[in-house]
Amino acid sequence: VTTHDVILHIAQDVPTIETVLYSHDFEDGTTDGMAIELLVSTNVADPALWPTISNYFGNIYADVSYTKTLTDTFAEGTTYTLSLDHFRRNTTAGDALMLEIGYDVGGTFTALVSQTFSAVNSITEIYARSIEWEATAGGAEVGQVVAFRLTDGDDTGDITGNQAAYDNIVLMASSTTLGDITLGAMVDGDMVFSWSTSLGRVYNILTNADLMTPNWGVAETIVGDGNPVWVTNAPAGPQLFYMVVSPET
């Protein structure tokens, strides 16, 4: 019976991989399901802001909120950042704006992180607002569908007075974690292992028979599709070391 000593290693110098999960800036004149109200900048924004906010921007009435549910799910070891531009319209004072990252189950939104940003007093300035959340192992959000919510921060209930104006919404996911590698049973002398991949991310499986010499070679290259991948490899010799790395692409 032939036996093999097998060691799996996840490289520690994995670069940060950033993925845009959602992005919209209203420039095409569509709401993309986001804006409570779509406004034309040349009519209701200060002229000094027009080049920055382009043609259109989103607007939320007092006490109104909007929840956007994506198709991506929370993955442990991944940080999610929601950012947007917040400014004041020239026809009214600006409202505070609350940003939240969470998940929506059956129409019920659960916030993981929430922050209310103060109203913008200047009609010629834009303020970048952002919040972030890191999903960790064992968290209730892991595996849940990612969602975010925008809410006007005014608690007076008036829909004709102050309103929150915003543009350039981006939800970004960033991670340096490859995830756990699952080692399967030997199949006809071949080594089998698996891990969850990220869409478009490149993974190199390296092998080396002797750790005393830096003689790592690429046994296989895989491009992730967002699903788990299974790798089968026939160890050459009685001992073989494996390392999975994700080079910057």
Side-chain angles (χ1 to χ4, degrees), residues 181-193:
I181 292 182
T182 300
L183 180 63
M186 300 290 286
V187 178
D188 295 329
D190 293 344
M191 214 270 291
V192 180
F193 54 96

Side-chain angles (χ1 to χ4, degrees), residues 99-155:
L99 277 61
E100 296 173 285
I101 298 175
Y103 55 92
D104 192 313
V105 178
T108 300
F109 181 83
T110 299
L112 297 167
V113 59
S114 174
Q115 184 171 350
T116 298
F117 296 92
S118 60
V120 176
N121 295 319
S122 170
I123 61 174
T124 59
E125 292 187 76
I126 291 180
Y127 293 85
R129 310 298 198 189
S130 67
I131 58 173
E132 69 177 31
W133 175 264
E134 182 181 2
T136 56
E141 75 280 10
V142 174
Q144 298 286 354
V145 177
V146 179
F148 63 89
R149 184 163 65 182
L150 307 178
T151 304
D152 181 287
D154 184 14
D155 59 3

Side-chain angles (χ1 to χ4, degrees), residues 172-230:
M172 180 84 69
S174 58
S175 175
T176 57
T177 302
L178 289 183
D180 293 332
I181 292 182
T182 300
L183 180 63
M186 300 290 286
V187 178
D188 295 329
D190 293 344
M191 214 270 291
V192 180
F193 54 96
S194 173
W195 71 91
S196 295
T197 67
S198 297
L199 181 63
R201 191 169 184 175
V202 175
Y203 303 87
N204 287 333
I205 298 106
L206 310 181
T207 59
N208 188 1
D210 184 1
L211 290 182
M212 298 302 294
T213 59
N215 191 29
W216 291 95
V218 178
E220 188 174 353
T221 297
I222 293 173
V223 179
D225 60 3
N227 298 304
V229 61
W230 286 91

Side-chain angles (χ1 to χ4, degrees), residues 81-99:
T81 304
L82 173 65
S83 59
L84 54 74
D85 292 333
H86 181 198
F87 56 93
R88 172 184 165 181
R89 292 175 49 183
N90 66 356
T91 56
T92 182
D95 268 9
L97 184 63
M98 182 168 66
L99 277 61

Side-chain angles (χ1 to χ4, degrees), residues 23-43:
S23 178
H24 189 62
D25 66 1
F26 305 111
E27 187 173 1
D28 59 1
T30 66
T31 65
D32 192 29
M34 268 309 313
I36 301 302
E37 181 183 28
L38 185 68
L39 297 177
V40 181
S41 61
T42 53
N43 292 339

Side-chain angles (χ1 to χ4, degrees), residues 161-179:
N162 301 349
Q163 299 158 29
Y166 61 97
D167 197 10
N168 296 318
I169 305 166
V170 178
L171 181 63
M172 180 84 69
S174 58
S175 175
T176 57
T177 302
L178 289 183

